[in-house]
Amino acid sequence: MLVSYKWLNQYVDLSNVTPQELADKMSVTGIEVEGVTVPEEGLKKIVVGEVKECIPHPDSDHLSICQVDIGEEELSQIVCGAPNVKAGIKVIVALPNSRIAGNVKIKKGKMRGQVSNGMICALQEIGYSDSVVPKEYSEGIYYLPQEAVNGEPVFSYLDMDDAIIELSITPNRADALSMRGVAYEVGAIYRQKPTFNDEKLVEVERKASEKIVVKVEDEELVPAYQIRIIENVKIQPSPQWLQNILMNEGIRPINNVVDITNYILLLFGQPLHAFDYDKLGSEEIVVRHAAEKENIVTLDGETRTLTSEDLVITNGQVPVALAGVMGGQDSEITETTTTVALESALFDPISIRRTAKRFNLRSESSARFEKGINKGTVGEASDVAAAMIVALAGGEVLQGAVKGSEYQAKEVEVQITLKRINQYLGTTLNVAEVSEIFEALGFGYQVDGETYTVVVPPRRWDIQIEADIIEEVARIYGYDRLPSTLPSGETVAGSLTQEQATTRKIRTLLEGSGLTEAISYALTTEDKSRQFALKETAITRLDWPMSEDRSVLRMNLISGLLDNVQYNTARKNADVAFYEVGRVFYQENDPLTHLPQEVTHVALAVSGTWEEKSWQSKPQAVDFFTVKGILENVFEQLSINEEITYQALTTIDELHPGRTAAIYLGETMIGFVGQVHPMTAKAYDIPETYVAEFDLATVVEASQKGITFRPVTKFPSVTRDIAMLVAEQVTNQEIVRTIQSAAGRFLTNVELFDVYQGANIEAGHKSVAYTLSFENPEATLTDEEINQAMSKVEKALTETVNASIR
C-alpha cells in the first residue's frame, strides 16, 4: 500500500510530523514501513515551459524545432522528437545541466545541426513508470495544466514533492489497505480524530429502480450488491490533482469516471466498477455463477473461458464482468458514455481468490476482496463516488441505489479485564490509561469496575477476541515501552532421542564416506513427486501454490537430489555425491482431513568419478557397488547388516531394471539402490548416476537392539578358501546364505575375493572364490573340525546353487 503524505495530511494534522518520523512511528506500532520516497529527489532544474512556436526540423522527418518560454526574457530553442508536441501547450522542460531519471545529465547540444537548449520531457524521463502514464501521453510528452507558471519547477504541479510511504500490509491488517484506514491508524498514534470532507450526494427525483433491476442468485457469495445510475455524464480527462494522486499511488489515469472508482478504491478500500449503461444491452443485472465453458472478453482484451466456480455479473443473459476481478470489454466506459451504472458490492473472498488465481488476474480490486473490506461502507463508498462523478463529469444521480442483496454490518463486542491486559503485557496500566487508548482507537467501551466491554466498529473486522484487544493496547501504548524480563527456570541435562542419535550417526557415516548433505524443496511437480516411489498413494496438492513447479508435496527425496546433480554438472562439477535426510508425504490418512502422513527417508545420489587417478591407480567411476558399499557400511555400523538382504528390482520405471536392487530388512522392503534409468537421466540432463533411498524410521527401530558384547578370544582363528563355478544368475547373497547355513557355529566371516568370467569358463557361468573364517572362543579348532565344516559347505553349495567346486 502506497500512502501519500499530502493526501493523508487532509484527514489528520501532520504539520509537526515529518514523513520519516511518521514512518518510524508506524513501524513501532504494528504496521511495517518498507520505505519513504519523494519522487522529486535526484531531479533538478526541471521547469514548466510553454511551446510558443513549433516547426518541423528541416533535416528530419520526425523532429521538431520548438521555441519555448521558460520564464526568461528570451525564448529557448529546443529540438523535440515527440509526435504530440505542438504550439500552445505547457510542457516539462529539463534545462541545460539538469538531472533527469537515472541520474542522466542533460547538456546543451545540437541535433541534426540545430541548437537544442535542454529537453522537453515525457513523464517516463522524470521517473514515472510506463504502467502509470496516461495512455494519451504514453508515446509522447506530457501536457501540464495551462495555469502552470512558466519557469517554475514542475514538481509541485505533479505532486512530485509529496512523500510516498510504502506500507507492508499483513493479512490481518487489511483495514490499512485504504487511506481512511491509515488515517484512523495515524489518528490513534497521534491522538487525533480523522476528519473526512467527502463530496455530498444530491439525487434527482427520477428513480434508479425504473432504469434497472438487480438480482443476486447466491447471497452467501454476494452478501451485498447495489447499482447506482448517473445520467448525462461527460467523459473527459480527470483534473490534475486526481491524476497526480493515482500516478503517485501506482495507478494509470484513464478518464474521470474510471479514475473516480480507483480513487474510492484507495480512499475506502472498496472496489467499484462503472458500466456503460447503454452498452449493457438490457435493463437488468443478474449476479450468478458462470456456466461451464461460458466466455467473456475482459478489459485487457483476453477471452476468458469460465467455470461454474466463477462469479459473473450479467445483463440477464451474457457476462459483462468477472465479479470482483475485472470488467468486461463490451461495457467499459469510453468517450461516448453518457449514462453510468455504478456497481458496489461485497463478494466472498475465497471465490474471488480462486478466480483471480486461475486466470492470473491479480488486481487492486481482487486483492482487497481476498483480504477483506469494510462491510460497513459498501453503500457509503458508492454514494461518495456518485457525488464525485457529478462534480467532475457532470450528470445527475437517480434516486436510490438498486440493491440485489444487502448486508448490515454489526459492531463486535469483546469483554476483557484490566488484570488480563496487564498480566499479558507485564504492565501496570490503570483504567484511565487503557480507556484513553480505546478512545484514541475510536472504539466504544463501557467499564464495570475493571471489566471492559469494548465495542469494535466494522472498519476493524480483524478484532474478534481478547487477544486482539490486548494487541491493540500494546501497539498504541508502544511496544518499546513494554517491560522486558529474562526467562527464569531450572536447567536440566538434555540428551538425544534414539531417532536423533541414529540420524546423527547416519549423517556422520555418510559424510565420512565422502558425501555432502543437500536440502531440497519439499514441494515439487506432480510428475517428480510420483517418481522413485516406494509405494503408491494419492498425492498431496496445495490449494494455492506459488507456482506449478511447487504445487505438490514430494513422495521421494531422489528427484530433488537429481535436480542438485543437474545444477552441479551443468556448471562443470561432474563429480557429485549428495545425501539428504528429509520427509516424504503419503496421503493415507482420513480422506476427510486430507492430512498427509509424514515419513522420514534417507536418500543418496552419486555421479562421476569416485576415486581420482594417481601414480599407482587408475580413476574409478561410480557404479552400483559403490553406492551399495556405502549402504552396507551404514547398516554394519548400526548393527543391522545381518538382517539386510538385497533382491533384484524391476518395478520402478525410473531405475535401470538390470542394475537395481530392493533393500529388505528381514521380510520388509525398506528401500532400493540402483542406477537411474538412462531415459530418466536424459530427462534430468544428468550423466550416469546411482541412487539409493530407504525408510529411516524402520532402520531406527531395528537399530535399537544395540550391540551384544563378546570378548576377544584367546584361541587362534582359521581361514579356508573355496572356489566354485556357478551359473551367472546366481547371486552373491544366495551363495553367502548357503555357506552360513551349512558351515556351523564356528563360522565368523565370509568374504568374496574373486569373480571371473571369460577364457576357460563355460558360457553363462562365472568363477567365484570366497575366504571363510572360523573361530572357536572356547578351544583351538582342529583340522578335522574345519574339514568337516568345509565338506558340509561344499555339499550344500552343490545341492543348493548347483555349484561345481574347483
Side-chain angles (χ1 to χ4, degrees), residues 631-646:
L631 293 178
E632 288 179 337
N633 178 54
V634 170
F635 296 144
E636 183 176 358
Q637 295 300 319
L638 297 177
S639 302
I640 61 173
N641 57 310
E642 293 183 359
E643 302 175 53
I644 296 292
T645 57
Y646 301 87

Side-chain angles (χ1 to χ4, degrees), residues 62 107 130 154 191 198 229 272 360 380 660 743 758 787-788:
H62 70 279
K107 299 179 179 179
D130 285 331
V154 302
R191 305 304 194 266
D198 297 325
I229 302 296
L272 302 176
N360 195 25
E380 182 183 353
T660 301
N787 291 337
Q788 186 178 4

Side-chain angles (χ1 to χ4, degrees), residues 635 639-646 662-671 695-703 705:
F635 296 144
S639 302
I640 61 173
N641 57 310
E642 293 183 359
E643 302 175 53
I644 296 292
T645 57
Y646 301 87
I663 306 171
Y664 281 84
L665 180 63
E667 300 298 324
T668 304
M669 179 181 169
I670 64 168
D695 181 356
L696 177 62
T698 308
V699 170
V700 170
E701 183 179 355
S703 66
K705 63 184 181 181

Side-chain angles (χ1 to χ4, degrees), residues 503 506-507 517-518 557 579-583 600-603 696:
T503 303
I506 290 173
R507 281 192 169 98
E517 184 173 13
L557 301 181
Y579 80 90
E580 181 171 3
V581 180
R583 289 188 177 94
T600 303
H601 279 195
V602 178
L696 177 62

